[in-house]
Amino acid sequence: MCGIVGCILKEKKDVAPILFECIKNLEYRGYDSIGLATYDNAIHVKKGKGDIRKVDREQNFSNMKGFYGIAHTRWASTGKPTHENAHPHLDDSNTVAVVHNGTLENYLEIREDLIEEGHEFISTTDTEVIPHLIKKFMDEGLDLEGAVRKCTKKLEGSYAIVAMSKDEPNKLVATRKDSPLIVAFGKDGYFVASDTPAVLDYAREVIRPKEGEIAILTKDGIEIHDKNGKKVRKTPQHIDWSPEMAKKEGFDHFMIKEITEQSLAVKHTLGQKANIKRIIKEIGDVKRICFVACGTSYHASITGKYLIESLAGIACDVVIASESKYTARTWDEDTLVIFISQSGETFDSLMALKEANKTSNTLAIVNVAGSAMTEEAKYFIQTQAGPEIGVAATKTYIAQLTAIYLFAGLMAGNDKIIEELSRVPKYIDEVMKEKDKIKEISKRYDFAENAFYLGRGFSYPIALEGALKLKEITYIHAEGYAAGELKHGPLALIDEKVPVIVIIPPGDDYKKTMVNLEEVKARGAIILTVCAKGDKKAADNSIDVIEINSEVTDIIAPLVYAVPLQLISYYVTCDKGYDPDKPRNLAKVITV
Ligand code: M6R
């Protein structure tokens, strides 16, 4: 996903090395090209396709002069990943430079009109219309701020933009709609970025401009103006994530570091209990709940549905955000719509949230404070996982589950589940102590081309999440199935070359899942079972076994049984020589 940064220093030193460091911190969002623009009597642009360090070797960014500038990592959406399409983009007189995150829906019409007026375009991106429009409006007499404002009135779609102009030097102007953007106050200068980790090394006092507001950065500070150009007063929020928290701390990959941090993520999120209690009280009576999310967050939501229906007896739906438009028609004032998201910026979830706000009470369970969904939702719970850099969601998933269990348990007045939750960090730590054994087991699975994950009841979403983790980082085709669905189709695919991972904790569904395990065994499948310690029957019917503390009941299982599945995916990925932190074609934050 695109990442943008802008910086203006208080003193006249070269800003390029700082911009380069900041943009490197956004690598985790995924990118295909990068570029920088600085101003020193003229606008200088250097950019290229490929890895940040490779492009730096080719371009030597640190040679760029000027005390302010903008930078960008691009994740292609409109126009292929090429040198020409990399940002920053300029108008055809090299007067205005722009970096942009988002997608413009009406750029083709704007581009045609501009071409008719004599403008020439170099790239095939949607973004390039923006510097052309800004230049045109400045030529008509507007200053940079006015031209940016007028330009955004023409744009349909989503955007976070930072612009600079040689006709109005020593200034950066930024604005946003449906794409993330923060501004930050540092000791040596002022910053604008698409995400806080970009600037953590330099600035910690952060403001998130609202949609339509314009941020103006000069060497003397940052001003935020509303849509009428009136100055808005805002108090910056202090971000206490240390830069070290965003680094690997000696682990080979962020993913394994983040898996290791899961028991802490649970402990920290349990600290939200009082806050969640207050929110439940404020929300009051709820007749129906609907969860909306994507990917891993969707899997956490299915667990939420099962919990709320079984513990609180409240009717509960769960819907994928990009498929929510029909369900959205049934939301009303008695519905609580709960949005689950690590980033708080996922485009489809954010759009559904805006829709839900029109009819219903909304609650966002999000990991990133200050993100768009935290501002949109009527209520907001922050999961306390800390920054997650690996593209594969691990500790944020477990933290989401913790918040959902707290919410459901408190809503239902079920003290037993709250008490069980407090033991989860211990259970997770026990699994982590077995990681060398799990690593050994993983070595026997890297040959696979297909794999199946089976679970029933609360173990069904664990199966879905296990399969997603495997496919997204190992590139092995994997399917998660409700074990009862096996004979309705997938059983036809099971043979002696197919690993089947069976999630079978003790509880109501145990016997039925055991029947399914025997069914796949009869077809010769290579069975890896995740079961309770001492479950002899499961062990006798499997090739490999991962044992979990037998106190972990089926209801609490998603918080613990998911962990060995994450480890298996991680180790298989390492065995295959892939980078688990940056799976191909995927990005951490999906803002388009
Ligand atoms: O930030 P979100 O939780 O809204 O992101 C939703 C999905 O893109 C995300 O959960 C994705 O499926 C995971 N990174 C996969 O591990």
Side-chain angles (χ1 to χ4, degrees):
M1 200 58 40
C2 299
I4 60 182
V5 178
C7 173
I8 185 156
L9 294 175
K10 294 178 185 173
E11 283 179 22
K12 297 207 168 171
K13 330 187 273 200
D14 290 336
V15 76
I18 294 176
L19 285 173
F20 185 66
E21 287 307 312
C22 291
I23 211 75
K24 272 204 295 195
N25 290 334
L26 290 180
E27 269 191 281
Y28 70 95
R29 292 167 70 95
Y31 68 99
D32 52 58
S33 45
I34 87 148
L36 263 70
T38 56
Y39 177 83
D40 178 38
N41 294 319
I43 293 178
H44 308 285
V45 174
K46 288 188 179 190
K47 58 188 185 179
K49 185 183 157 202
D51 179 80
I52 284 190
R53 288 149 205 88
K54 172 190 111 33
V55 180
D56 184 38
R57 280 195 300 277
E58 290 159 4
Q59 300 282 339
N60 200 355
F61 290 117
S62 58
N63 264 354
M64 296 175 81
K65 295 284 168 219
F67 75 102
Y68 71 99
I70 54 183
H72 191 267
T73 46
R74 177 168 190 258
W75 190 70
S77 53
T78 309
K80 288 184 180 154
T82 61
H83 177 93
E84 289 71 32
N85 285 343
H87 298 215
H89 286 286
L90 294 158
D91 69 300
D92 45 10
S93 63
N94 290 1
T95 306
V96 175
V98 166
V99 285
H100 163 225
N101 174 15
T103 19
L104 304 181
E105 286 155 17
N106 61 339
Y107 81 100
L108 281 175
E109 297 109 84
I110 299 176
R111 189 176 160 116
E112 274 167 28
D113 290 348
L114 288 166
I115 289 171
E116 256 179 44
E117 290 168 21
H119 293 254
E120 284 177 20
F121 287 83
I122 293 167
S123 77
T124 53
T125 62
D126 50 352
T127 304
E128 201 181 354
V129 300
I130 301 174
H132 283 262
L133 281 176
I134 295 173
K135 170 70 168 73
K136 174 179 151 160
F137 298 139
M138 289 185 82
D139 286 348
E140 289 171 8
L142 291 175
D143 62 5
L144 181 58
E145 179 186 350
V148 168
R149 184 172 286 114
K150 187 161 176 186
C151 166
T152 58
K153 292 205 175 109
K154 292 245 169 220
L155 305 179
E156 286 167 20
S158 59
Y159 52 81
I161 301 166
V162 189
M164 58 198 265
S165 168
K166 89 173 157 58
D167 286 349
E168 203 175 316
N170 308 336
K171 188 178 277 183
L172 297 174
V173 173
T175 190
R176 62 175 280 263
K177 178 181 166 268
D178 294 334
S179 281
L181 188 82
I182 56 113
V183 293
F185 300 74
K187 188 165 70 58
D188 299 323
Y190 303 99
F191 294 81
V192 54
S194 44
D195 206 351
T196 40
V199 301
L200 272 186
D201 292 322
Y202 303 98
R204 288 170 169 279
E205 306 303 317
V206 167
I207 291 175
R208 182 190 163 80
K210 284 211 165 83
E211 292 199 355
E213 288 180 341
I214 300 226
I216 297 131
L217 287 77
T218 64
K219 68 176 185 45
D220 301 317
I222 303 175
E223 278 193 13
I224 312 270
H225 292 175
D226 69 12
K227 33 175 113 98
N228 304 312
K230 212 168 138 231
K231 191 169 163 185
V232 188
R233 291 210 171 280
K234 293 188 184 240
T235 314
Q237 185 188 355
H238 181 76
I239 303 291
D240 58 8
W241 287 357
S242 68
E244 290 71 38
M245 280 170 85
K247 295 193 180 132
K248 287 188 204 155
E249 290 171 9
F251 288 93
D252 289 341
H253 299 100
F254 283 114
M255 184 176 175
I256 187 68
K257 170 176 174 279
E258 287 158 4
I259 291 174
T260 309
E261 288 167 348
Q262 293 188 118
S263 62
L264 261 187
V266 174
K267 274 187 206 150
H268 291 161
T269 306
L270 286 175
Q272 291 291 302
K273 186 173 165 190
N275 188 30
I276 295 176
K277 226 179 196 167
R278 176 188 58 78
I279 289 173
I280 292 170
K281 200 167 162 210
E282 280 178 28
I283 290 174
D285 274 351
V286 172
K287 291 210 172 65
R288 176 190 170 204
I289 289 177
C290 184
F291 281 93
V292 182
C294 304
T296 292
S297 301
Y298 171 71
H299 300 153
S301 300
I302 301 176
T303 308
K305 169 186 159 70
Y306 288 1
L307 269 177
I308 284 173
E309 288 179 342
S310 60
L311 299 184
I314 296 173
C316 189
D317 302 308
V318 52
V319 58
I320 293 171
S322 57
E323 291 289 328
S324 61
K325 72 175 174 187
Y326 304 115
T327 313
R329 291 185 195 158
T330 69
W331 293 337
D332 59 18
E333 68 274 12
D334 293 325
T335 314
L336 171 68
V337 191
I338 304 181
F339 293 82
I340 309 289
S341 176
Q342 182 285 127
S343 60
E345 303 287 355
T346 301
F347 186 80
D348 289 320
S349 302
L350 186 58
M351 292 304 117
L353 170 53
K354 287 183 179 180
E355 198 53 36
N357 272 337
K358 294 179 191 161
T359 51
S360 310
N361 239 345
T362 54
L363 164 68
I365 301 183
V366 169
N367 192 50
V368 181
S371 58
M373 291 170 70
T374 66
E375 300 216 338
E376 280 291 331
K378 295 178 186 158
Y379 298 94
F380 154 53
I381 297 168
Q382 189 182 4
T383 50
Q384 303 293 315
E388 185 175 73
I389 308 298
V391 166
T394 52
K395 64 174 178 171
T396 56
Y397 169 63
I398 298 295
Q400 287 171 346
L401 287 174
T402 308
I404 291 170
Y405 274 79
L406 271 179
F407 184 83
L410 291 168
M411 190 171 227
N414 188 317
D415 296 339
K416 186 164 171 281
I417 207 90
I418 305 290
E419 202 248 311
E420 268 189 84
L421 265 183
S422 65
R423 291 195 293 272
V424 165
K426 175 185 101 160
Y427 300 142
I428 293 179
D429 287 339
E430 286 169 4
V431 176
M432 293 309 290
K433 284 197 189 121
E434 298 297 312
K435 72 176 196 274
D436 289 341
K437 182 184 160 202
I438 296 172
K439 188 174 177 180
E440 279 309 302
I441 291 176
S442 305
K443 288 188 183 146
R444 296 198 279 276
Y445 290 84
D446 57 7
F447 74 93
E449 288 176 4
N450 298 289
F452 283 86
Y453 287 71
L454 302 180
R456 242 171 219 272
F458 283 97
S459 299
Y460 166 50
I462 311 178
L464 294 177
E465 179 57 12
L468 175 62
K469 282 292 88 82
L470 193 77
K471 70 183 123 188
E472 71 176 322
I473 57 173
T474 67
Y475 316 137
I476 295 171
H477 168 239
E479 301 276 355
Y481 261 95
E485 277 289 288
L486 196 60
K487 52 181 145 328
H488 299 288
L491 197 54
L493 293 170
I494 306 297
D495 62 23
E496 59 289 340
K497 291 192 289 299
V498 180
V500 178
I501 294 90
V502 184
I503 300 126
I504 184 167
D508 290 350
D509 294 313
Y510 179 87
K511 280 191 185 150
K512 284 185 179 162
T513 310
M514 184 53 73
V515 172
N516 301 125
L517 194 156
E518 283 163 351
E519 278 165 358
V520 289
K521 188 183 177 201
R523 270 84 189 166
I526 306 155
I527 300 174
L528 162 58
T529 300
V530 189
C531 60
K533 203 177 181 77
D535 181 346
K536 202 165 166 322
K537 185 159 187 203
D540 286 349
N541 281 294
S542 312
I543 307 251
D544 286 304
V545 183
I546 297 172
E547 291 184 322
I548 306 289
N549 190 317
S550 58
E551 291 169 10
V552 178
T553 60
D554 52 352
I555 296 192
I556 216 85
L559 287 149
V560 188
Y561 278 59
V563 179
L565 304 186
Q566 296 166 340
L567 287 168
I568 296 256
S569 299
Y570 172 74
Y571 289 124
V572 171
T573 308
C574 297
D575 274 354
K576 286 169 88 79
Y578 299 133
D579 181 349
D581 289 339
K582 289 188 214 126
R584 66 188 182 204
N585 303 338
L586 297 180
K588 184 71 183 162
V589 189
I590 315 286
T591 53
V592 289

